[in-house]
Amino acid sequence: MGGPSPGVWLSLGVRAFADEVRPVEFRKEGDVLRRDFLRGAAAVPAAALASQRHLFGQVSWDQGELLHLLPTVSDSRISLKFSTREGLARPPRLRMGSSLVTATATDTQGRFWRVDVSGLDPSTEYGLLLENAAGSPLSDPWSLATFPDRSDSPERVRLFVYTCAGGRNLPMATKHRLLDRGMSFGPDAMIAIGDHVYWDLRRTGAGSSPASIEFAGRFDRTIPVLGTSNENSLKRVVDSQVAELYGTRFRSTPVFFLQDDHDYFENDHADEEIVTFPPDHFMLQLARASQSLYYPEFLPDPDRAAGLPGAAAEDRPSGINESFGSLRYGRLLEILLYDCRRFMTLKGPTATFVPSEVEAWLVARMAAEDTRNIVNLPSTPVGWTAGKWGEWYPDILDDQGVLTDRNPKFLWQEGWRSQHDRLLTATADMTGIPLWVSGDLHSLGETHIQQTRELDLRHNPIVSILSGPLGTGRGGWPSTFRGTRALTPNSLDVDERLPALEENGFILMDVEADRTVIRFFRWNNREDPPEAIDSLEPFRVTELTRRA
């Protein structure tokens, strides 16, 4: 689904033939768009048109009144988050064929909306149109396909993955170029791993600087986020880092957003003055409001208990989870996505990054045989340390600038490492490729974990990939303020294939039944011109094969 406007012809009523695709003419009559194409043409089998998607980049698409639009899907459900440039007095509607679904407001000013539609057919491309309450379109129509049925066995799936897209240190036009280059390869889905927003309010104070206050105002921790002056501040911040970044370019590509520490408006940090996590009430409000307004939560999965932490909130649609989710693509692939910040505990030897119920779900899915490939995708990476507090590892930078695990790290929890070892053991015991993908460290990297403390994993070493950051500015690299790039923790035995590389970039993952190919893309914002992004090719290709 590559290019800036995939799927438009489908929503105009594409007729599929053996050798061609012919678009139906699209006209306006007065102020109302003709919608005859939607009658009887709301669902088009995606497989019949997959080979034609490369043509869609040639079609212009008018986003009209929309500021941003981000969708996600499962095999039977579509969820949209979108915002308009101006507030709407009455709820807009999503038209799907002869059906109209009324959107639900997620803010108090009529700019932010969600639409959730269930009971859909798998592997089907649906024509979609957003209208205001009077029936006038808010944008051009477009299309969006559901994923394959859970029992189907598609041949392959391509994923576009990156981290750390937030912040304002890299020009927006440069980040747009990186997104568009990734989309030019036609991914079936996108995964953004944490740090969508950088506006730390206390420890680093970036969100409390005079310039930040002038831009967005001062947050008041004593009042709610929505329905107060905080709502305007939140929108100024997140509009500038999420809505303006994504716009509507992903309208036909399902997206999966995983939150990390900065999405709670703080860096993970602990010292005698402040401990930032687990998130306090105000941090949690900010993170939940940002997610509710801007990007989708995780849709239901029958193999994920509906009562896990992060689910069943009264202000969310039924069945979704805010922190723990799955990207399930038939029997071919299941990616387990989990936020390691919201529910982390400080309980010493029994401390965890994810609750015990979530760990049990992860282990059960890794042991299951109903999906060919299982990938762990947490918000906190395994296989590397940069001496940060909220890591799986106790390593810290000593007075000589060397990472060591012999000096105590303030308030680091032994239980975190124990959970790490249990999850890696479960991964090594899988019959499939033992793959982890994560972000956070503003780096591209690849390491193969062979041993963790006394646990030998050489029978099936864990492959851990750093996806690369989309939006890091010249002064925002970990080594700039931590004094070190990400390195191997002292208590791991690894085969590091690509040492952590502090450059902007992303990965493409092509998953097939018996192999996964990962392509690494890099762009050096200190040396390379932005124009070089438009022709980026992989600088590294890793092929992983399923063991016999």
Side-chain angles (χ1 to χ4, degrees), residues 262-304:
H262 293 283
D263 302 309
Y264 294 86
F265 286 64
E266 298 291 349
N267 184 39
D268 69 280
H269 182 86
D271 60 22
E272 291 83 355
E273 296 181 1
I274 186 172
V275 178
T276 55
F277 284 88
D280 66 19
H281 177 68
F282 191 66
M283 292 167 62
L284 187 58
Q285 284 192 76
L286 290 171
R288 296 192 73 242
S290 299
Q291 183 184 54
S292 178
L293 269 58
Y294 289 90
Y295 44 87
E297 299 88 355
F298 301 119
L299 295 178
D301 186 323
D303 292 319
R304 187 184 72 237

Side-chain angles (χ1 to χ4, degrees), residues 108-183:
T108 67
Q109 299 168 342
R111 277 193 54 220
F112 289 81
W113 305 89
R114 72 166 184 253
V115 177
D116 196 80
V117 186
S118 58
L120 303 177
D121 294 326
S123 298
T124 301
E125 195 112 20
Y126 286 90
L128 307 177
L129 178 67
L130 283 170
E131 304 175 343
N132 64 22
S136 297
L138 295 175
S139 71
D140 278 353
W142 79 102
S143 71
L144 182 65
T146 50
F147 281 162
D149 187 88
R150 298 171 62 84
S151 62
D152 288 347
S153 297
E155 292 185 1
R156 64 183 60 87
V157 61
R158 171 169 289 180
L159 305 174
F160 173 27
V161 188
Y162 55 84
T163 187
C164 305
R168 304 171 69 199
N169 293 322
L170 199 66
M172 187 65 75
T174 302
K175 292 197 279 189
H176 284 163
R177 275 190 140 115
L178 286 164
L179 286 177
D180 291 341
R181 185 55 179 164
M183 288 292 288

